Amino acid sequence: MKKITISLAVVALMASGCTTNPYTGESQTAKAVWGTAIGAATGAATGALVSKKSAKGALVGGLAGAAVGGGVGYYLDVQEAELRQELASTGVSVERSDDNIRLIMPGNITFKTDSADINASFYATLNSVAKVLNKYSNSTVMVLGYTDSTGTAEYNQTLSKNRATAVAVYLQGQGVKASRFEIMGMGSSNPIATNATAAGRAQNRRVEIKIIPNK
């Protein structure tokens, strides 16, 4: 029982003093911190009770309990950290909101000009995305294609849908289940920059992947 008490005390101390998420390096809400800490404490106690080697049981139980206690926030935290590591220096942006992760893939590095053919040089980046998606499989993967405002609405809609489909099909080829995907062509809607300049139009030509944990 002494070892259990120590384990619980350590977890409580971590929770009370934690203001930065250990996976992302960013501030984390008190609710998420306490959810993870309480889960870890409960898991530690349970693990110690069922294990002949209480210290080892507490450690294993604590890690498992942390994932359960942290809930969706924790599940996203670990994915975000791995995606940032995998996609560093690739040109792909990783953005996080409370309930999803968004990957922004610029068109100039993803596709050939005015085409839905994926650049061969981008395969390795998509392989890294697939690796993380396969590891954390309890989520919906929305793939959305966007264009700039040049050209007709009909043409842009078709191109954006074809590009989103190409990315989704490639990821499925790397083992990500097709049933997880939602694929949408957004045309020139939702620009993230001005279409009045070449630089702005280049930013608007993109594919986004939104990772949404299943409830």
Side-chain angles (χ1 to χ4, degrees), residues 59-190:
L59 175 60
V60 173
L63 293 174
V68 174
V72 170
Y74 182 93
Y75 194 70
L76 284 172
D77 287 345
V78 291
Q79 289 180 79
E80 179 190 1
E82 291 195 30
L83 284 166
R84 288 189 184 279
Q85 182 179 6
E86 291 284 343
L87 300 177
S89 302
T90 64
V92 175
S93 298
V94 180
E95 295 188 358
R96 167 73 183 276
S97 66
D98 289 340
D99 60 355
N100 67 75
I101 298 170
R102 186 167 66 136
L103 308 181
I104 304 174
M105 303 176 172
N108 64 318
I109 65 173
T110 313
F111 296 98
K112 298 175 182 178
T113 303
D114 201 29
S115 169
D117 294 333
I118 298 173
N119 288 325
S121 59
F122 199 67
Y123 292 163
T125 300
L126 289 177
N127 291 344
S128 295
V129 173
K131 183 172 95 172
V132 178
L133 290 177
N134 283 325
K135 184 174 181 180
Y136 301 95
S137 59
N138 189 28
S139 61
T140 296
V141 183
M142 293 185 65
V143 186
L144 303 98
Y146 295 90
T147 67
D148 61 30
S149 61
T150 304
T152 67
E154 182 180 4
Y155 180 84
N156 288 334
Q157 172 65 29
T158 299
L159 179 61
S160 65
K161 178 65 176 292
N162 288 344
R163 286 183 164 182
T165 301
V167 169
V169 169
Y170 184 90
L171 293 173
Q172 291 167 24
Q174 303 307 305
V176 185
K177 291 183 179 179
S179 59
R180 297 175 60 188
F181 285 87
E182 293 182 12
I183 304 168
M184 300 176 67
M186 307 300 291
S188 60
S189 65
N190 301 323

Side-chain angles (χ1 to χ4, degrees), residues 30-40 65-66 68-71:
K31 183 178 179 181
V33 172
W34 276 106
T36 303
I38 292 170
V68 174

Side-chain angles (χ1 to χ4, degrees), residues 105-107 145-149 187-208:
M105 303 176 172
Y146 295 90
T147 67
D148 61 30
S149 61
S188 60
S189 65
N190 301 323
I192 58 176
T194 178
N195 277 303
T197 65
R201 289 192 295 273
Q203 292 183 60
N204 292 331
R205 296 189 296 267
R206 68 198 190 276
V207 168
E208 296 187 5

